[in-house]
Amino acid sequence: MRKMAFMGIHGIDKLLGEGLAYGSQIMIRGNSGIGKSVLACQFVKETLACRDNCVYVCCDESPDQTRENLKQYGLHPLPYEEAERLVFVDAYSLENTGKNYFSSEDELEKYLALEKEVIKSFKNGYNTRIVVDSLSTLFLGRDSQEILEFHRYRLKLLKRAGIIAMDLMVDEVLEDGMLKFTTNLYDVIVRMYFTGSPERPIRALHIGKMKSGKFDSSQLLFSINSNIGIIVSNN
Amino acid sequence: MGNDNISNKLLNEIFLCVSQLADSVPLGGEDYIRMVFEFYTERVLNQVKDNFKPISNKAIDLCQAFIAAMDENGILDQKNYKLWSDGDSVNISIVKSSCNYFEYCDAARKNNLPWACRMNGYRWLASKYTGCNYQLKIEYPENSDYCRGTIYPGEKLSQILTKDGVSISIAGERALVISINALGLLMKTIYNAAPHILEHVFYESTYYSSELEYENVQKYFTDTYELLNYLLNNANRLGNIRYEIIKYDPENKTATIRGHGSYMAEIFKKNNLFFSPKVSCAAARGRLSAYFTKAWGKEIVCEEMKCEAFGDEFCEFILLPRHK
């Protein structure tokens, strides 16, 4: 039986039916502070628990801060880094921090080369998943044409290599037109947003799209527990 | 082969069978073999009681008088025994080749079976006549002609399963035996109601109960490694998992532990509690984190790198400090 992947969040995984085929691309989009990075942490935990390799591209926080975030949700990254199953790419720091460093001043083409090299560095034969937190930050201040070309080419490469990509997008950062176009390139879109009143905002999400499969687009309410992460309500 | 040799061979084989039995019954272990030596010593004492004339109620005098009485009755040759005291403790050295149980001890240890030294008889004797509890520590140097034991005052740590009326107890605490199916159904019920908490329920409940367990037995040990070994072996006796310490580095506060026959891996596989296969021994992680956090006085976390639920040969746990 072909191995399928899940996100590690029960309420969402239930909606994924048989799961995600390797090579699937997931976009997690939503407002700032809604919990995209929390979802990414749970995804990393699931990835490593299922014995896949993981690349975490840190654009919004430093790798050290991301390590701390992972610890908060019950995953100590060090043994996985030592076992060469988890690699952080630093696309956050202003100064070069080592071999997996990407500067915001570099061309996106250079990012592609780095991503490819990191993925190739896994020698254990396990499947690989990649999280970019957040891809929209990587696109900041860049030309639309460059972004479109990069994006299309990158996702094609990842699909061909059977790598599951989870790209986080902050709604406020990308222009609407760009967001619409990029949305089209993904297999699964999870949209996270605040609902309720401004005084009492409630977190909600829905699966906005799931290519080649039935999906339930109904709204799911969720909360964030400081140890567990995202908890989707039963109703 | 003379009759003495045959008897000796039989004696050692019978003791090996006792060790095998102690290993194969729930909560079996060294305690049962110690009890065999206690009963045996009591019987021998009854046989030699006319010659048993201790000059005082001190542990050393009791042991010396018992050895002398056995010598007079032709049970042993006291020249193979050397005793000296160190405060309230008694050191006993025995010529290995003169010990009737030598083959048994050697084979039991090589086969990783629970075993106990016959010097437990002297421990029992000292406890009985001084009215205070004595413990025994054995040294078994491979390259020496002698075995050495030290009997010292100390509380007895019982691992024995006892039954009193309707209740059974483990080491004095009421316990219950639950089948893996019953526990599996309990887990499935939790999973159906609140899947996100299942891992946390097992991790945290085991963490807190293991902390208590550590605190309860801590006073019986002076050596942290021995204490951890005792606790890990206890988990095996309880039928949870058999732990094996692969790497132990108290200086850097890291360890690698393997687990064999994990009950959680079995439950997860049996009850389909996954969307996809994954490492699943949250209870073992909780237990190990608690023990090592207590042992090293620093928050220690545990990651499961391999798991039988995944089809791995064993589960493998890495312990390391949460913070640098």
Side-chain angles (χ1 to χ4, degrees), chain A residues 70-95:
Chain A
L70 287 167
K71 285 183 201 171
Q72 189 186 334
Y73 298 109
L75 179 100
H76 199 303
L78 188 61
Y80 301 96
E81 289 185 74
E82 284 179 352
E84 296 179 343
R85 288 182 50 205
L86 171 63
V87 174
F88 290 97
V89 170
D90 183 359
Y92 172 80
S93 303
L94 295 173
E95 282 166 23

Side-chain angles (χ1 to χ4, degrees), chain A residues 4 6 10 13-14 45-46 49-51 68 71-72 74-76 78-80 83 85 227-228 231 234, chain B residues 191 193 195-197 199-200 275-279 301 303-307 310 312 318 320-323:
Chain A
M4 303 296 271
F6 291 86
H10 193 268
D13 289 343
K14 245 166 77 177
K45 199 175 165 189
E46 168 79 5
C50 293
R51 189 149 333 136
E68 288 305 313
K71 285 183 201 171
Q72 189 186 334
L75 179 100
H76 199 303
L78 188 61
Y80 301 96
R85 288 182 50 205
N227 296 316
I228 297 174
I231 299 173
N234 280 336
Chain B
Y191 182 77
H196 54 277
I197 67 163
E199 182 189 336
H200 296 270
F275 278 110
S276 58
K278 62 174 88 167
V279 296
V301 294
E303 291 294 332
E304 187 177 15
M305 307 300 286
K306 289 180 180 174
C307 184
F310 229 119
D312 289 327
I318 304 271
L320 72 164
R322 182 185 162 112
H323 304 290

Side-chain angles (χ1 to χ4, degrees), chain B residues 159-218:
Chain B
Q159 309 149 353
I160 298 246
L161 175 74
T162 53
K163 189 167 187 295
D164 177 21
V166 289
S167 68
I168 58 169
S169 300
I170 299 166
E173 190 179 347
R174 184 162 181 185
L176 56 98
V177 176
I178 184 166
S179 75
I180 209 142
N181 281 341
L183 184 61
L185 287 169
L186 172 69
M187 286 172 74
K188 202 160 188 169
T189 310
I190 296 172
Y191 182 77
N192 288 339
H196 54 277
I197 67 163
L198 186 66
E199 182 189 336
H200 296 270
V201 166
F202 277 84
Y203 179 87
E204 287 189 21
S205 60
T206 315
Y207 186 96
Y208 295 128
S209 63
S210 301
E211 265 190 333
L212 281 178
E213 205 186 335
Y214 190 100
E215 284 162 10
N216 287 341
V217 301
Q218 193 173 10

Side-chain angles (χ1 to χ4, degrees), chain B residues 13-51:
Chain B
E13 287 297 325
I14 289 168
F15 264 91
L16 272 173
C17 293
V18 174
S19 279
Q20 274 181 292
L21 179 69
D23 194 40
S24 56
V25 295
L27 292 151
E30 293 159 17
D31 267 3
Y32 291 97
I33 305 162
R34 277 192 210 123
M35 282 174 77
V36 172
F37 280 111
E38 287 177 9
F39 293 142
Y40 174 72
T41 306
E42 194 172 16
R43 298 181 80 85
V44 173
L45 186 64
N46 278 334
Q47 285 172 33
V48 303
K49 62 177 182 234
D50 292 342
N51 295 321

Side-chain angles (χ1 to χ4, degrees), chain B residues 11 69 83 106 119 139 143 159 163 201 230 239 261:
Chain B
L11 178 76
L83 277 76
D106 200 43
M119 287 192 227
E139 283 172 58
N143 299 323
Q159 309 149 353
K163 189 167 187 295
V201 166
Y230 166 82

